[in-house]
Amino acid sequence: MMKKKIKITLCFFMLIMVLLTGCAGNPFVLSDSYDSYYRQNVKESNSQLKGMAADLAVLSKKDDEKSTYQSRDYADLLINDTTGEVVESYHCFDKVYPASITKVMTALLTLENGNMDDEITLKHDIVLSEDGAVISTLTKGDRVTVGQVFHTMLIKSANDCAVLLGEYVAGSEEKFVEMMNERARELGATHTHFVNPNGLHDNNHYTTAYDLYLIFKEAVKYDVFVDTVSSKDYTMTYVTPKKTQVSEYMQSTNHYLLNEYPVPEGVIMYGGKTGTTSVAKSCLILMTKNKEGERFFSVVLGAKTKEALYASMSQLLQKTVD
């Protein structure tokens, strides 16, 4: 049974590699074989796609600038997941820094390998390399459930919680990063390379808008993920070494959920994940639906300001109801 499972996984991986193959020396240049495969199999007969790839919106290199808003300095992507149509695409294969959207992969691996009811005791304080990085109030010796840490990582975007979950799943942050990169390849995110579980900036920690779509699409298969990224606030509770119960209240970093930016009329907001660093700038990935029940994934990466991010995202969301 295990051999069969491995064989199936390898088949899926080989198929996705055909879809997204790039030159070995430059992972951001898609080869002509990708365009050939797209023309022969996707445009002519989508039914020819088998297995995992049959559920994906496949985008050709030539269609990458399928946009009505040209000459801008950020990347975006809008996919109708119900029909498989790429509605909007601009530089979706460009190398970008994902910032805290990285935590979607950390969440996915936690869901696939962990248990929300498990209890964690912090063996050490989580030390981060970036000044001012968002963290929780957890410290060495505190006891907390995986579910509490999971919610805090996604809702508050606490960077220490991402490290904590990585250590819980893999035993160390380094081994967890290996798992992240392996899982990315399995999902077809072949232009992605992670070096940490939280997205704090590193020049070797990168992805593309299309790869983030692949990872996010997998994560939303889990109801607990969707419920968490749809929550506008949360209270984490944990127990200190002195057996004192502590509660930490937090609000979502998704300002649509906080009504700080209006959701276009007719758009049903489910939620997603934000990301912000000085290099990555302002980023956001979302899942929404329209009144017809069609599901959409939308991505904006590298907006100069938070205001520009939500203005650009609202332009995409408007396309889901027009």
Side-chain angles (χ1 to χ4, degrees):
M1 182 68 181
M2 181 60 69
K3 290 183 178 179
K4 182 177 180 182
K5 183 177 181 181
I6 293 173
K7 184 177 180 181
I8 292 173
T9 299
L10 287 174
C11 288
F12 284 167
F13 173 66
M14 290 174 67
L15 174 60
I16 297 302
M17 286 297 289
V18 172
L19 286 171
L20 294 172
T21 298
C23 300
N26 184 355
F28 304 104
V29 178
L30 300 178
S31 69
D32 290 338
S33 63
Y34 174 83
D35 286 335
S36 298
Y37 185 90
Y38 179 82
R39 287 194 300 271
Q40 294 171 9
N41 295 303
V42 182
K43 283 189 174 179
E44 294 176 7
S45 176
N46 190 60
S47 63
Q48 293 184 34
L49 289 173
K50 302 297 182 182
M52 183 179 72
D55 296 328
L56 301 177
V58 182
L59 185 65
S60 78
K61 183 168 58 176
K62 291 182 179 179
D63 289 338
D64 183 25
E65 294 192 8
K66 185 179 181 181
S67 171
T68 54
Y69 309 103
Q70 297 291 332
S71 301
R72 56 188 186 274
D73 54 3
Y74 59 87
D76 68 22
L77 181 64
L78 175 63
I79 290 174
N80 184 327
D81 188 57
T82 301
T83 66
E85 177 191 3
V86 178
V87 181
E88 166 98 0
S89 173
Y90 188 73
H91 289 188
C92 80
F93 296 125
D94 284 8
K95 176 181 177 178
V96 294
Y97 300 113
S100 285
I101 298 180
T102 298
K103 292 165 184 161
V104 175
M105 175 60 86
T106 300
L108 175 61
L109 287 174
T110 302
L111 290 166
E112 292 177 338
N113 298 279
N115 187 319
M116 292 290 136
D117 294 327
D118 285 353
E119 187 175 78
I120 299 173
T121 299
L122 274 71
K123 297 178 181 179
H124 60 91
D125 290 328
I126 305 298
V127 179
L128 302 175
S129 59
E130 190 170 307
D131 291 338
V134 175
I135 60 173
S136 72
T137 55
L138 292 166
T139 58
K140 181 180 178 180
D142 291 338
R143 291 185 291 112
V144 62
T145 66
V146 170
Q148 299 275 327
V149 177
F150 181 88
H151 280 74
T152 303
M153 177 187 71
L154 291 175
I155 295 173
K156 185 179 181 178
S157 203
N159 293 288
D160 57 329
C161 288
V163 176
L164 188 56
L165 290 175
E167 292 178 346
Y168 158 74
V169 170
S172 71
E173 185 176 355
E174 292 75 17
K175 290 182 179 178
F176 186 74
V177 169
E178 292 177 5
M179 292 177 65
M180 294 173 73
N181 288 314
E182 180 181 358
R183 192 71 179 101
R185 289 190 296 270
E186 290 174 352
L187 293 172
T190 56
H191 294 65
T192 291
H193 183 258
F194 296 117
V195 299
N196 60 56
N198 48 37
L200 293 181
H201 183 71
D202 187 292
N203 286 339
N204 290 317
H205 187 101
Y206 53 78
T207 187
T208 69
Y210 187 78
D211 281 7
L212 289 178
Y213 150 70
L214 296 174
I215 296 167
F216 189 71
K217 179 177 171 68
E218 190 69 16
V220 300
K221 292 179 180 179
Y222 293 86
D223 290 342
V224 65
F225 177 83
V226 175
D227 290 344
T228 302
V229 298
S230 301
S231 300
K232 68 177 183 178
D233 58 8
Y234 183 72
T235 300
M236 175 177 67
T237 59
Y238 59 92
V239 178
T240 69
K242 294 182 179 181
K243 298 183 179 181
T244 301
Q245 182 169 294
V246 176
S247 296
E248 179 184 355
Y249 175 76
M250 63 202 69
Q251 290 186 313
S252 173
T253 58
N254 179 353
H255 292 275
Y256 281 125
L257 297 179
L258 301 180
N259 296 318
E260 294 184 11
Y261 291 91
V263 178
E265 186 176 353
V267 174
I268 302 169
M269 177 65 60
Y270 280 82
K273 187 70 193 78
T274 61
T276 307
T277 68
S278 60
V279 180
K281 302 178 184 176
S282 294
C283 309
L284 179 60
I285 188 168
L286 292 174
M287 183 177 79
T288 60
K289 287 187 178 181
N290 60 20
K291 291 183 177 179
E292 287 70 43
E294 293 177 313
R295 186 169 78 167
F296 292 85
F297 296 118
S298 52
V299 189
V300 174
L301 303 171
K304 287 185 177 180
T305 64
K306 186 196 312 181
E307 291 75 17
L309 171 69
Y310 284 93
S312 300
M313 181 60 79
S314 291
Q315 286 181 330
L316 288 185
L317 296 180
Q318 188 63 52
K319 287 175 171 281
T320 69
V321 293
D322 285 345

